[in-house]
Amino acid sequence: MTNRFQIPISAILALLLVVSACDDPSPIGLDLVGAESGETNVVTLGTSYAAVDGTADITLGTSTEGAFRSLFGQVADPAAGMFTMSGFVDFIPSSNVTAAFRAGNVSFADLALNIDYVYGDSTQPVTISIYDINADWPLVGARSDTTLAASVLVTTASLEATKGMVYIPLPSNWISRNNSILKSTTFSDLFNGFAIRATQGDAILGAHFSGSSMRASSVPGDTVNFSMSKVFSAYSGSPSSSNGNVHIVRDGASNSLSMRFPIKNDELGQVAIHRVIFRLNSEDLSSMYPAGFVRPGVTRIGLRAVALDNKTRLNVSTADVLEDGTLTFDASALANIVQSANLADSELDRFELYFPNESSSVDFLAFKKGLPATFGPRAVITYTPIK
Amino acid sequence: MLHVSKGKNMFRLCLLILGLALVGSITAQESLAQSQTDGSIYSRFGLGLRKGFTSSKNQALGGGGLALSSGQYLNTANPASFSDQYLTRFSGGMTYETITASAEGVTSGRLGSGSASGFNFGFPLKSAVTGLGFSFSPYTRVNYRVDVESSVADDPENRSQAPFVTSFKGNGGLQSISAGIGHRVNTNLHVGLTADFIFGIMEDYQQTLFNSPSFTDRSVVSSTRLSGISALAGFRYALPGMPTNQGLVVSGTIHLPTHLSGTRTRSLVDRQDRDTLGTVTDGSVTLPIGIGLGLAYSPAPKWTIVADVELEKWSNFKSDFEFPGLSESGKTVASDRVRASAGAEFWPAARRPFAPWSSRIAYRLGFYTEQSYIAPIDGENIRSIGVTGGLSIPSLIPGTTIDFNLDVGQRGTTSNGLIQDRYVRFGLNLNFGERWFERPPLG
């Protein structure tokens, strides 16, 4: 190709690049276009259904995932009623089991529990009973309504309802009964842990993985640590409220808040969804509690979509509980889910509030019932009607 | 060595045309089948604005040229002219168009779009007697955008506003792939026939676009997909008895009515998904018969003057689908499309193949007027008028030129709530010709 071509062609290409950047679209011609859809708008929808139900929380955890503390105790909450938790803990030997330990007889053993969670009346102690567990219990998926059988009472103890380390000696008859198990190289297979239940008191305590262990020694000065390897918490009792204007949603229980909004085609019309905000207001009930009653509070809660089969659940978003008690879920996934439901292109049945598995607590939120105008659960939907 | 040098030049030019097509696509986000840019609002109506690419020479002469005969160009306007070929020829190009749209009492808006004009390929079966021609060109084009800025409550509980743009867009159109043959019956009469496969998708969008990640942009789009086979027949007759160095040619073409079948789909579209709304509708469209008449007069070898009239009987248009401005509840309101054009070419080097380079530049000028087949409002058919011009720059390879075309015109009116488009089209076309498929003489 000769320079005779190159120069004008280069100039043309440069010109094209320049003029292509001069686009300035305008509303001219608006009267001549036919709308494929209507005007974009915002609507605030109240719930067509709201109820406290749902599946129980997964309260089982290992040192790497899931719940991170075992909760035990009982509490008569002035706002949410009676609630009881049984804790379950299991242990594995740490790597420093010496030959001397295995050669001798175990002469001492205790439980060291790192109490880092207190919910309830902190002015009176909590009396607990510790039981042996004879059978192995599952590693994954256990929910808080699962029943685990405990067998022989090992010991009882009275614990202050405060945070800190507590040490509970295990009795000599338990030690002699478990002497060979404690020294066995197959301890993890032979030992199934303890169940912890409260018999007195008005608080629920939580023992954290970190710092909690079982200790045993056969040689003075040579103590072997059995680290806490698995925790689980099971509840009994139903939440209730003296205030009929709120939904009580408690962590660790089987009471998610299920909500349906009129988002389907025959309710909202066929629309293009641009944004969906779910908002709830939690009630401040602090005036109902006496002095010394501790509520650690809930800082984060999740929203998930539940399919018609009542089994399939999709975690959608989480929201922080603001100081004024407001929770706002605002995620593009939410808009997509509602869009599919509106187009009858999904198996969505409802939305459900849930506590993340990692929360490991028993506190609750009280959500206002009613219409959006009275701060009930609401969906703020930005949409464009489809003609 | 001369052949090697020419071959390299040809190869470089081929690379150049590919590069131009690529740049055209990048700068204007455009491809032949699907345009994504901005043109006239009138392309929204009917099946879109009628388009066509017959040759860059015809473009510069007002868009007609049914009677043109030339071994330098493949004139797909009339398949009879395929018989003129003595070189294997490939031509194609791109067009960039800017439109300044104005309406009464409204500030002008400026839109720009680029597109491939079309591609032609032809070769002689018997030099200057029988030739084949192939082309790929637009038949109609839908390409408009109207943006309206607005706002909506971001979140009613915090009273902030979220701005958004409602963008009414259309893109696509019908394309035509043609294959034809032309034959010289005798010294004066040439005839030809072309088969056309017409196909394409026309899409009308209403997009709601937010400048915020909190919102999901979604569009409702109506897509009409059509395809069918058509045919074009033509003749060209050189009147005998003309004085020496003068010529007068008459020509005619007929585009047969065409049945296109297709589907219409409405969808909701976002960045990831496309959900069909309702059911897919089947239907058909019948394109009308088209008749063209042309004259070409050459008072001297350096001069060629052409005049053409084309008529398309859109009043006979039938469609199972509703199209804006074309059909209301099954009743056709389209009217016949009429296009008249004329142009003149001055080529100083005519019949002097070894003339200086500057003398081998061809200069072209033309004009046209058109009454469109659609009426955005009842009784208001859109009229266009424009002036065309062009330069044909010769290369060192005989038979190969680079053509620059310009088309300045206006379409529509600002009265009765309509829009007036003032447009400038700039066309760049490459026109290659070489001897292929010929056995070299022995010895």
Side-chain angles (χ1 to χ4, degrees):
Chain A
M1 186 166 46
T2 65
N3 288 335
R4 190 175 287 163
F5 283 138
Q6 288 173 340
I7 293 170
I9 289 173
S10 300
I12 291 160
L13 291 177
L15 179 65
L16 286 173
L17 287 169
V18 170
V19 295
S20 65
C22 296
D23 209 13
D24 179 25
S26 75
I28 290 179
L30 180 61
D31 294 338
L32 297 178
V33 297
E36 299 288 338
S37 49
E39 290 188 5
T40 303
N41 211 336
V42 182
V43 64
T44 301
L45 302 175
T47 52
S48 55
Y49 169 81
V52 175
D53 53 20
T55 56
D57 267 0
I58 295 175
T59 49
L60 189 142
T62 65
S63 56
T64 54
E65 62 179 334
F68 53 81
R69 62 168 71 97
S70 180
L71 297 153
F72 48 89
Q74 59 187 14
V75 67
D77 188 291
M82 191 70 191
F83 194 67
T84 302
M85 271 291 196
S86 298
F88 300 83
V89 292
D90 199 0
F91 301 91
I92 54 173
S94 54
S95 57
N96 61 346
V97 180
T98 62
F101 175 78
R102 295 191 197 282
N105 287 321
V106 177
S107 57
F108 170 80
D110 71 358
L111 283 177
L113 300 178
N114 176 16
I115 304 297
D116 73 332
Y117 184 85
V118 176
Y119 167 83
D121 185 356
S122 61
T123 63
Q124 54 177 305
V126 176
T127 302
I128 60 170
S129 298
I130 299 174
Y131 298 85
D132 266 330
I133 301 174
N134 284 344
D136 193 15
W137 38 296
L139 271 172
V140 292
R143 297 184 179 274
S144 60
D145 56 355
T146 305
T147 303
L148 287 184
S151 62
V152 180
L153 176 65
V154 176
T155 187
T156 59
S158 178
L159 309 179
E160 294 298 322
T162 56
K163 293 179 183 177
M165 289 297 299
V166 296
Y167 301 93
I168 304 169
L170 296 171
S172 55
N173 61 344
W174 183 88
I175 293 172
S176 55
R177 213 169 48 238
N178 291 276
N179 179 52
S180 59
I181 294 174
L182 290 167
K183 296 185 296 179
S184 171
T185 55
T186 57
F187 173 86
S188 301
D189 298 329
L190 300 172
F191 185 74
N192 296 305
F194 298 112
I196 307 171
R197 290 173 179 158
T199 53
Q200 284 189 316
D202 189 22
I204 292 175
L205 309 179
H208 198 283
F209 268 117
S210 174
S212 297
S213 63
M214 181 172 68
R215 303 182 300 175
S217 62
S218 61
V219 180
D222 186 4
T223 302
V224 171
N225 263 303
F226 294 80
S227 305
M228 193 181 281
S229 61
K230 195 164 63 172
V231 296
F232 176 64
S233 307
Y235 83 93
S236 58
S238 300
S240 61
S241 172
S242 55
N243 183 351
N245 294 323
V246 295
H247 297 290
I248 299 291
V249 181
R250 185 188 284 282
D251 194 5
S254 301
N255 55 342
S256 308
L257 176 60
S258 292
M259 298 170 289
R260 290 193 191 100
F261 297 93
I263 54 175
K264 295 190 174 170
N265 194 346
D266 55 355
E267 297 165 319
L268 186 59
Q270 196 170 52
V271 297
I273 304 282
H274 305 295
R275 188 187 196 186
V276 175
I277 299 171
F278 279 0
R279 183 168 288 136
L280 301 98
N281 289 78
S282 62
E283 191 84 326
D284 179 7
L285 303 172
S286 56
S287 60
M288 300 178 70
Y289 293 92
F293 196 100
V294 178
R295 280 193 61 191
V298 175
T299 57
R300 175 161 281 225
I301 197 165
L303 179 76
R304 61 191 171 202
V306 185
L308 287 168
D309 63 9
N310 204 29
K311 294 176 182 173
T312 309
R313 285 173 161 75
L314 174 68
N315 293 353
V316 178
S317 176
T318 58
D320 292 332
V321 182
L322 303 183
E323 281 187 12
D324 64 356
T326 305
L327 290 89
T328 301
F329 298 95
D330 183 5
S332 59
L334 200 50
N336 292 335
I337 291 168
V338 173
Q339 181 68 77
S340 295
N342 180 259
L343 297 178
D345 197 21
S346 79
E347 295 291 308
L348 177 72
D349 176 54
R350 64 185 189 275
F351 289 95
E352 184 178 87
L353 291 183
Y354 73 97
F355 290 90
N357 291 338
E358 298 78 13
S359 65
S360 285
S361 75
V362 288
D363 212 333
F364 68 91
L365 287 172
F367 294 108
K368 292 180 179 177
K369 293 180 180 176
L371 302 171
T374 55
F375 301 104
R378 53 210 181 272
V380 180
I381 299 179
T382 307
Y383 70 99
T384 304
I386 298 170
K387 288 186 174 175
Chain B
M1 290 300 290
L2 181 62
H3 289 292
V4 172
S5 174
K6 281 182 179 177
K8 282 185 177 176
N9 281 332
M10 193 71 175
F11 177 70
R12 288 175 182 173
L13 284 168
C14 286
L15 286 180
L16 175 66
I17 195 168
L18 289 173
L20 283 171
L22 181 63
V23 169
S25 296
I26 293 171
T27 56
Q29 297 288 304
E30 167 70 27
S31 69
L32 267 173
Q34 293 287 314
S35 62
Q36 295 289 339
T37 49
D38 310 305
S40 171
I41 184 65
Y42 293 121
S43 70
R44 167 180 155 69
F45 296 95
L47 305 179
L49 287 177
R50 278 284 283 119
K51 293 283 181 180
F53 176 77
T54 53
S55 79
S56 59
K57 181 176 180 176
N58 292 18
Q59 263 189 340
L61 293 174
L66 295 175
L68 276 176
S69 62
S70 170
Q72 297 282 333
Y73 291 88
L74 184 67
N75 178 11
T76 58
N78 187 347
S81 66
F82 293 167
S83 60
D84 298 330
Q85 297 174 90
Y86 61 91
L87 298 177
T88 296
R89 185 162 295 285
F90 174 80
S91 60
M94 57 178 292
T95 302
Y96 187 83
E97 179 181 52
T98 61
I99 294 177
T100 303
S102 54
E104 272 183 356
V106 182
T107 309
S108 298
R110 185 175 176 188
L111 302 164
S113 65
S115 63
S117 306
F119 298 98
N120 297 336
F121 175 70
F123 58 88
L125 291 177
K126 186 175 182 182
S127 183
V129 176
T130 305
L132 294 180
F134 305 89
S135 68
F136 180 31
S137 62
Y139 182 80
T140 65
R141 189 159 176 228
V142 178
N143 188 26
Y144 65 89
R145 188 171 96 187
V146 177
D147 285 355
V148 184
E149 294 181 358
S150 186
S151 67
V152 69
D154 181 17
D155 179 350
E157 294 182 30
N158 63 25
R159 296 186 179 181
S160 60
Q161 290 284 309
F164 68 94
V165 172
T166 303
S167 187
F168 300 90
K169 291 179 69 171
N171 64 46
L174 298 176
Q175 319 295 327
S176 172
I177 293 179
S178 304
I181 186 168
H183 179 66
R184 189 183 74 191
V185 178
N186 57 41
T187 309
N188 301 101
L189 180 62
H190 301 243
V191 295
L193 183 66
T194 295
D196 300 331
F197 175 57
I198 296 175
F199 66 99
I201 305 171
M202 291 156 286
E203 294 187 314
D204 292 296
Y205 284 80
Q206 181 171 333
Q207 299 179 310
T208 308
L209 308 170
F210 292 86
N211 188 24
S212 165
S214 298
F215 293 86
T216 302
D217 297 340
R218 295 193 198 275
S219 308
V220 178
V221 56
S222 173
S223 305
T224 307
R225 187 184 295 261
L226 295 171
S227 64
I229 303 288
S230 180
L232 171 69
F235 77 94
R236 201 182 71 216
Y237 183 72
L239 295 179
M242 294 296 292
T244 307
N245 289 333
Q246 291 189 25
L248 179 62
V249 178
V250 296
S251 67
T253 59
I254 180 167
H255 215 142
L256 299 179
T258 307
H259 181 81
L260 305 180
S261 56
T263 57
R264 175 167 286 178
T265 310
R266 291 189 82 219
S267 309
L268 183 66
V269 181
D270 63 25
R271 283 182 197 158
Q272 296 166 339
D273 295 315
R274 189 180 186 104
D275 292 305
T276 301
L277 302 170
T279 56
V280 177
T281 310
D282 295 321
S284 65
V285 162
T286 303
L287 298 180
I289 191 171
I291 298 168
L293 293 173
L295 279 176
Y297 174 59
S298 178
K302 295 177 181 178
W303 286 93
T304 304
I305 299 167
V306 297
D308 298 86
V309 177
E310 294 171 66
L311 169 69
E312 291 174 353
K313 290 287 289 179
W314 284 86
S315 51
N316 294 338
F317 175 78
K318 293 175 184 171
S319 172
D320 295 336
F321 301 116
E322 293 270 329
F323 289 99
L326 203 58
S327 175
E328 291 175 353
S329 304
K331 181 188 173 190
T332 296
V333 293
S335 52
D336 296 341
R337 172 179 178 258
V338 181
R339 190 179 195 282
S341 64
E345 178 189 68
F346 175 61
W347 188 27
R351 298 186 186 175
R352 291 190 298 141
F354 300 106
W357 183 83
S358 59
S359 298
R360 286 187 282 127
I361 298 174
Y363 305 88
R364 294 160 189 149
L365 194 66
F367 77 92
Y368 61 88
T369 178
E370 177 181 334
Q371 176 181 280
S372 173
Y373 67 100
I374 49 91
I377 58 176
D378 198 18
E380 279 285 354
N381 279 77
I382 299 304
R383 293 174 186 275
S384 303
I385 187 166
V387 178
T388 61
L391 289 177
S392 178
I393 310 294
S395 73
L396 293 180
I397 306 167
T400 296
T401 60
I402 295 178
D403 296 348
F404 302 99
N405 291 343
L406 194 66
D407 180 350
V408 180
Q410 70 177 40
R411 179 192 304 115
T413 173
T414 56
S415 61
N416 293 328
L418 295 177
I419 307 299
Q420 185 176 72
D421 294 333
R422 280 171 286 134
Y423 53 83
V424 178
R425 293 189 192 117
F426 180 83
L428 169 64
N429 299 283
L430 302 174
N431 179 39
F432 307 110
E434 270 198 345
R435 289 188 186 279
W436 288 2
F437 313 125
E438 291 187 16
R439 184 179 298 170
L442 295 175

